[in-house]
Amino acid sequence: RYKGMIGSLLYLSASRSDIMFSVCLCARYQSSPKKSHLSVVKRIMRYMLGTINLGLWYPKKMPFNLIRYSNSDFTRCKTDRKSNSGTCHFIGSTLVSWHSKKQNSVALSTTEKEYIAARSCCAQILWMKQQLSNFGLSLDHIQIKCDNTSAINLSKNPVLHSRTKHIKIRHYFLRDYVQKGNCVLEFVESKNQIADNFTKPLPKENFFSIR
């Protein structure tokens, strides 16, 4: 029963980005769920029932510029103390892709956890850039909004090398593509992140529901 509910919510998260983190968190306990986990899933269901009029809005006319946001918490998981990465991707003012996942390694600093999240965001950028090239659209220096200046500096130059020797080599993937000009990291304050703008009320004439 628990797995069935999680499967339905994961399907629904494809159009409701506001439940992505909560559903992915509950999905980690499918092998041996407890009553407390089932209670949380039911709470998500009640939230969906109360916000059925929310959805994503895609206007016809909008500027075609690709902007990404990346962020993460710091060792929030009480079980293994790993951080959670979150990214979202906008074309103009419309949200087109989002992602939430626990990081594979334990971050030893806020710089590292933000850098890992930005690296995941960069990988998604390269995939979307390749897809857009099939439509004749070429984009360079795509913005990645990040709220950690140390991670931004590390992507441009190893100025914090003495403090970041423990970061795995694969995470220098980001710096390589920043130097190539495929993307560029820009600072944005945490309070200006767009988490509250993920979903907007839909006009009645454009109402839809997913069952």
Side-chain angles (χ1 to χ4, degrees):
R1 182 187 178 190
Y2 184 83
K3 290 181 179 180
M5 296 171 72
I6 290 294
S8 299
L9 289 173
L10 284 173
Y11 177 79
L12 188 58
S13 65
S15 62
R16 288 293 299 266
S17 57
D18 50 335
I19 65 171
M20 172 64 76
F21 174 77
S22 301
V23 174
C24 289
L25 187 62
C26 293
R28 299 172 190 170
Y29 303 96
Q30 293 186 77
S31 59
S32 57
K34 300 178 180 179
K35 289 184 178 180
S36 58
H37 300 137
L38 182 60
S39 176
V40 173
V41 171
K42 288 181 177 179
R43 183 177 180 181
I44 298 175
M45 294 283 192
R46 288 194 295 269
Y47 167 77
M48 294 304 301
L49 185 62
T51 59
I52 198 171
N53 63 327
L54 294 182
L56 297 172
W57 177 247
Y58 298 98
K60 293 182 179 180
K61 296 182 179 180
M62 60 180 179
F64 196 91
N65 57 316
L66 196 56
I67 301 177
R68 307 301 184 90
Y69 290 83
S70 71
N71 206 346
S72 67
D73 56 23
F74 184 47
T75 63
R76 184 174 181 178
C77 182
K78 297 181 179 180
T79 305
D80 52 18
R81 287 303 176 185
K82 292 181 180 179
S83 303
N84 295 284
S85 297
T87 64
C88 58
H89 319 284
F90 284 80
I91 293 181
S93 60
T94 61
L95 182 65
V96 295
S97 177
W98 50 91
H99 176 76
S100 177
K101 185 180 179 181
K102 183 191 289 189
Q103 296 179 0
N104 295 326
S105 56
V106 179
L108 302 181
S109 65
T110 56
T111 298
E112 180 180 355
K113 57 99 176 178
E114 291 286 356
Y115 195 83
I116 293 173
R119 194 271 310 173
S120 299
C121 192
C122 179
Q124 182 72 3
I125 280 178
L126 297 178
W127 179 81
M128 292 190 69
K129 182 179 178 181
Q130 178 63 34
Q131 296 299 313
L132 291 173
S133 67
N134 296 332
F135 297 95
L137 299 171
S138 179
L139 298 174
D140 286 313
H141 296 87
I142 301 170
Q143 300 177 14
I144 300 179
K145 301 291 186 179
C146 177
D147 63 353
N148 188 284
T149 55
S150 296
I152 295 174
N153 292 333
L154 186 61
S155 70
K156 298 177 180 178
N157 185 44
V159 292
L160 303 177
H161 185 266
S162 61
R163 299 181 183 178
T164 55
K165 287 183 179 180
H166 57 280
I167 299 180
K168 294 180 179 179
I169 298 299
R170 65 188 179 93
H171 295 312
Y172 282 82
F173 164 91
L174 173 62
R175 192 175 68 194
D176 185 36
Y177 281 95
V178 168
Q179 292 174 351
K180 290 179 181 179
N182 287 283
C183 57
V184 56
L185 267 71
E186 295 186 359
F187 178 75
V188 60
E189 294 185 9
S190 298
K191 64 181 180 180
N192 294 329
Q193 291 278 13
I194 41 67
D196 292 335
N197 296 326
F198 275 0
T199 54
K200 297 179 180 180
L202 288 174
K204 292 183 178 180
E205 63 270 17
N206 293 291
F207 176 77
F208 68 92
S209 62
I210 297 180
R211 300 184 185 277

